Amino acid sequence: MKILCIGEALIDMICTDKGSSLSNGQHFLKKPGGAPTNVAAAIAALGGQVELAAKVGNDPFGKQLIDVMQEFGVSTRWMLQDPQAFTTFAFVSLMEDGERDFVFNRGADGMLTRDETEAIPLDDIGIIHFGSATGFLPGPLQAAYQGMLQKALLQNNIFISFDPNYRHLLFPNDTQTFIDQSWNFLQSCHFFKLSDEEAMLITGTYAVADAAAVLLEKTNAVFTITLGKEGTLLGYKGNTYTIASIAVKPVDTTGAGDAFVGAVLYQLHNKTLNDIIQLSLPDWKQVIHNANKAGARTCEYLGAMEAFKHLSSAIFD
């Protein structure tokens, strides 16, 4: 069965002038990006069959995103080009104080409509992954996101995965909207992955252990909370377990979380929903152990897509 990822495909413009604001920066590195786009690329790199539902502009940047996905082996038949909207850009610069100077120039990604996603047949789809906070911003994509979730739930045989990929700068004055929409997905999906920051934000707690307790109480999903080099907290049937990561010399952490999710879904994609539901604790520990490897290995390269070129299921051996 195939995996369907839905959400944004965009171009990251990364300022390479260390410590410079976007207004003062002179040099930028253009990188294909978008959380669900990264997840799709990681799945394909590992050997999985995956499709990406996203909208890009009918411009050179949209073409680049489609070309890159095709090079990885991702099916792009649901990567639509909008002749009226430019491909979305995210401009990022890391300041001396560690804060990010960020401008989100939203374009085509937010224009994916519910009618367009309703046209996607799910007959050969075993897993659907929802993977971006941009799907919670006002606009057509928000309705498409909600509609696809309802469509997946009605199928009764599709494994639903969710990663909110919270970005504070997308919700500077309305964090509660993000939290409320996240809970809708957390309580509907079979698996979700959160960072430690996201877990505490969504649950309104100040410690990962407290956040995990709330998630165990309020959701029925298997879940993970990534803890960086400390590994990953796994929530499974009322208890939590910490799965250690592997030691690497990090170059760039971009895309590590997406590689982690991609590795989890790749390991599940040849199983039915009933098979996945019946996985034991040792089974899940092995899945997360392998996913930790994928996330850690991604940190050894500059840029997510560059890292995924070196990603294969051989790392699970």
Side-chain angles (χ1 to χ4, degrees), residues 1-3 127 265-272 275-276:
M1 301 292 280
K2 295 178 183 177
I3 302 170
I127 297 173
L265 301 184
Y266 166 74
Q267 293 174 86
L268 302 178
H269 85 284
N270 62 349
K271 305 178 188 300
T272 67
D275 289 338
I276 299 171

Side-chain angles (χ1 to χ4, degrees), residues 93-140:
S93 182
L94 188 63
M95 306 296 288
E96 292 287 3
D97 60 3
E99 291 297 314
R100 290 179 181 267
D101 195 9
F102 178 87
V103 172
F104 189 59
N105 188 8
R106 196 175 201 197
D109 90 282
M111 303 308 292
L112 186 68
T113 69
R114 184 165 184 165
D115 286 345
E116 288 165 339
T117 55
E118 283 291 327
I120 300 174
L122 302 182
D123 299 342
D124 60 349
I125 300 296
I127 297 173
I128 297 182
H129 175 66
F130 299 85
S132 71
T134 58
F136 294 160
L137 295 172

Side-chain angles (χ1 to χ4, degrees), residues 35-161:
T37 301
N38 287 341
V39 171
I43 292 168
L46 289 166
Q49 289 188 299
V50 57
E51 301 188 339
L52 177 62
K55 185 168 279 192
V56 297
N58 187 16
D59 53 50
F61 305 104
K63 184 178 185 303
Q64 179 192 6
L65 285 162
I66 292 172
D67 288 346
V68 168
M69 288 297 98
Q70 289 177 345
E71 288 170 6
F72 275 103
V74 176
S75 171
T76 59
R77 62 175 175 162
W78 304 115
M79 285 187 74
L80 309 179
Q81 290 184 277
D82 191 328
Q84 306 300 322
F86 206 75
T87 297
T88 297
F89 276 76
F91 294 84
V92 184
S93 182
L94 188 63
M95 306 296 288
E96 292 287 3
D97 60 3
E99 291 297 314
R100 290 179 181 267
D101 195 9
F102 178 87
V103 172
F104 189 59
N105 188 8
R106 196 175 201 197
D109 90 282
M111 303 308 292
L112 186 68
T113 69
R114 184 165 184 165
D115 286 345
E116 288 165 339
T117 55
E118 283 291 327
I120 300 174
L122 302 182
D123 299 342
D124 60 349
I125 300 296
I127 297 173
I128 297 182
H129 175 66
F130 299 85
S132 71
T134 58
F136 294 160
L137 295 172
L141 179 59
Q142 185 184 64
Y145 236 50
Q146 297 292 339
M148 183 57 79
L149 175 63
Q150 295 308 311
K151 185 177 179 180
L153 290 170
L154 289 173
Q155 291 290 116
N156 292 322
N157 62 347
I158 291 179
F159 182 83
I160 301 171
S161 167

